[in-house]
Amino acid sequence: MWGIYAAPLTAIGLVVLLFLLLDILWKLFELTRTVLAPFFMPEEEVSLVKKYGPWALVTGSTDGIGKAYAFELARKGLNVVLVSRNKEKLNKTAAEIESKYFVKTKIIAADFTEGQKAVDIVKEELGALPINILVNNVGRNYEYPMYLTEVSEKDIQDIIAINISAVTLMCRAFIEDMHSKGRGAIVNVSSGSELQPLPLMTVYAATKAYVRSFTAALRYEYGGTGITIQHLSPLFVNTKMNAFSSKLQKKSFFVPDAEEYARYAVMTLGNMDESSGFWSHGIQKFFIKLPPVWLRTYIGARMNLEFRKDYLESRKSSNNNKNGHCYSEETSKSFKELDK
Ligand SMILES: NC(=O)c1ccc[n+]([C@@H]2O[C@H](COP(=O)([O-])OP(=O)(O)OC[C@H]3O[C@@H](n4cnc5c(N)ncnc54)[C@H](OP(=O)(O)O)[C@@H]3O)[C@@H](O)[C@H]2O)c1
């Protein structure tokens, strides 16, 4: 009986084994590339200006990764359009870039929670100025790891508008021009949270999984026409987005500051369509992707529960120190969890 099934079952087993082996080899190749490529890439072999053109636009460019990325592009000779909400911060950042790198800048104040209206403002302010590199960096997360019902409806809508709609509509607004010219680059910034569902940052991680899927499909539609469409997926970077954790506010082997991160991330532009953007993030990503998704989800949940506990404890102790300080109803309710 077993005899007649032995040969086909062995064949199926061998094919599955072969695919597993290929998967691991591919991950090893990716890891080696991410870790080693930045050290061997001749920086100025083909300059970004020559390859794509002189103007870049970076969204969310007055803080964190976006600001550092804009500086790095300027260091490589690109003129930069900075887009964020706050005019004062925009003016300050633009002045810093111009005085340091002697390139041109333009600032546009737009709020990406406003959907297409923000994109229309960007287009109108740009006028005839063509954008050669579009960096969809703007992103928003929860204030700290929360259960879904603790996040306000407004915050959920804003996160979806910023992380999903802004990326989608900005790509739609600029890709046609790049396509007709046969050159240009789009960088869509997601996050390591796209690698698996992430409890207590449920909406954020889901929006970043959207960015990964959207970018890969867009590359399929427009790739091979001279346009680079990169999915940039950082792990932890020391920025104010992670202010909920004192551990993530310290630069370390696995948590670079925004400047260091951007230096490597820009090096991958035009060389890697999918990248974590930083060599030690490549190492982390390799190990993160080894276990099955359900285990990664479990580990992610444990990690976020730890961050949540640390955050609530620090908020509670500062609450005790500051007489009369008021927290939102949801945060106050969460304090009770610590007493259990
Ligand atoms: N930091 C990390 O560990 C990490 C890890 C993985 C992925 N990422 C991703 O990397 C990207 C940048 O993160 P970050 O940590 O650098 O963020 P950040 O430090 O919080 O900076 C956010 C930037 O976006 C602007 N901004 C915020 N809301 C906006 C809105 N509604 N409209 C327009 N601009 C807005 C902010 O300026 P104004 O407030 O002045 O508008 C600021 O310049 C995000 O997509 C994030 O998801 C970050």
Side-chain angles (χ1 to χ4, degrees):
M1 179 71 182
W2 164 246
I4 53 165
Y5 295 117
L9 283 177
T10 310
I12 291 171
L14 282 175
V15 170
V16 171
L17 210 65
L18 184 72
F19 274 108
L20 280 176
L21 204 69
L22 282 176
D23 191 48
I24 290 177
L25 280 177
W26 176 249
K27 281 173 189 159
L28 268 174
F29 170 69
E30 269 187 328
L31 170 72
T32 317
R33 230 163 54 122
T34 321
V35 174
L36 296 181
F39 297 103
F40 292 101
M41 267 173 205
E43 263 204 63
E44 304 300 339
E45 194 182 80
V46 183
S47 86
L48 293 176
V49 176
K50 262 198 210 143
K51 188 168 181 178
Y52 298 119
W55 276 96
L57 182 151
V58 186
T59 65
S61 40
T62 47
D63 264 314
I65 296 172
K67 180 176 176 182
Y69 203 104
F71 269 73
E72 188 58 20
L73 288 176
R75 192 177 75 81
K76 289 181 177 282
L78 277 124
N79 304 314
V80 230
V81 180
L82 306 166
V83 188
S84 288
R85 288 170 301 183
N86 184 310
K87 246 194 177 143
E88 217 174 289
K89 272 160 72 183
L90 282 164
N91 273 321
K92 192 166 169 271
T93 309
E96 279 175 38
I97 290 179
E98 284 188 13
S99 67
K100 199 163 177 192
Y101 297 117
F102 307 105
V103 295
K104 290 182 202 149
T105 63
K106 181 171 176 59
I107 61 159
I108 301 176
D111 183 342
F112 285 107
T113 60
E114 295 184 335
Q116 184 61 37
K117 191 175 155 201
V119 180
D120 290 343
I121 291 173
V122 171
K123 288 294 269 186
E124 201 181 307
E125 293 275 326
L126 284 175
L129 188 72
I131 294 304
N132 310 107
I133 300 178
L134 167 66
V135 185
N136 283 312
N137 160 79
V138 70
R140 171 132 176 238
N141 194 358
Y142 305 171
E143 186 191 341
Y144 66 98
M146 289 191 237
Y147 292 90
L148 185 66
T149 51
E150 293 173 338
V151 191
S152 72
E153 288 105 340
K154 165 96 174 83
D155 281 350
I156 290 176
Q157 280 170 0
D158 285 354
I159 290 170
I160 293 172
I162 294 172
N163 297 5
I164 292 184
S165 303
V167 176
T168 312
L169 296 172
M170 286 293 281
C171 284
R172 188 180 183 280
F174 288 94
I175 204 163
E176 199 52 56
D177 185 49
M178 294 180 186
H179 189 229
S180 67
K181 288 182 177 135
R183 70 171 185 167
I186 293 178
V187 180
N188 288 339
V189 181
S190 77
S191 146
S193 63
E194 53 85 6
L195 293 169
Q196 69 289 300
L198 188 56
L200 285 92
M201 284 185 185
T202 306
V203 179
Y204 177 73
T207 62
K208 294 302 187 177
Y210 172 94
V211 174
R212 185 218 327 117
S213 167
F214 170 76
T215 310
L218 196 68
R219 191 181 312 120
Y220 197 91
E221 287 179 17
Y222 291 90
T225 57
I227 310 176
T228 296
I229 302 177
Q230 188 191 42
H231 170 221
L232 187 65
S233 170
L235 277 81
F236 288 123
V237 180
N238 165 2
T239 70
K240 76 176 171 46
M241 182 177 272
N242 299 325
F244 57 81
S245 163
S246 55
K247 287 180 197 126
L248 298 177
Q249 291 299 296
K250 285 183 212 122
K251 188 178 164 181
S252 66
F253 183 75
F254 285 126
V255 185
D257 60 26
E259 291 70 30
E260 192 180 14
Y261 176 80
R263 211 167 45 247
Y264 284 98
V266 172
M267 269 188 233
T268 67
L269 179 56
N271 294 304
M272 295 165 92
D273 284 341
E274 295 273 340
S275 177
S276 60
F278 188 64
W279 62 274
S280 76
H281 287 182
I283 298 175
Q284 275 174 290
K285 196 171 161 187
F286 173 74
F287 287 104
I288 291 172
K289 281 173 87 176
L290 287 180
V293 169
W294 66 264
L295 184 55
R296 276 148 46 190
T297 308
Y298 173 79
I299 294 169
R302 300 306 310 170
M303 194 182 72
N304 267 347
L305 280 167
E306 275 308 304
F307 283 140
R308 176 184 169 89
K309 194 162 156 257
D310 286 353
Y311 173 85
L312 290 173
E313 271 168 2
S314 73
R315 289 285 294 261
K316 196 175 181 195
S317 66
S318 80
N319 196 25
N320 290 342
N321 293 337
K322 288 181 208 155
N323 251 348
H325 192 110
C326 271
Y327 288 112
S328 72
E329 203 186 323
E330 291 309 337
T331 305
S332 304
K333 263 194 246 161
S334 308
F335 287 155
K336 294 194 187 115
E337 180 180 311
L338 298 171
D339 301 328
K340 283 180 195 160

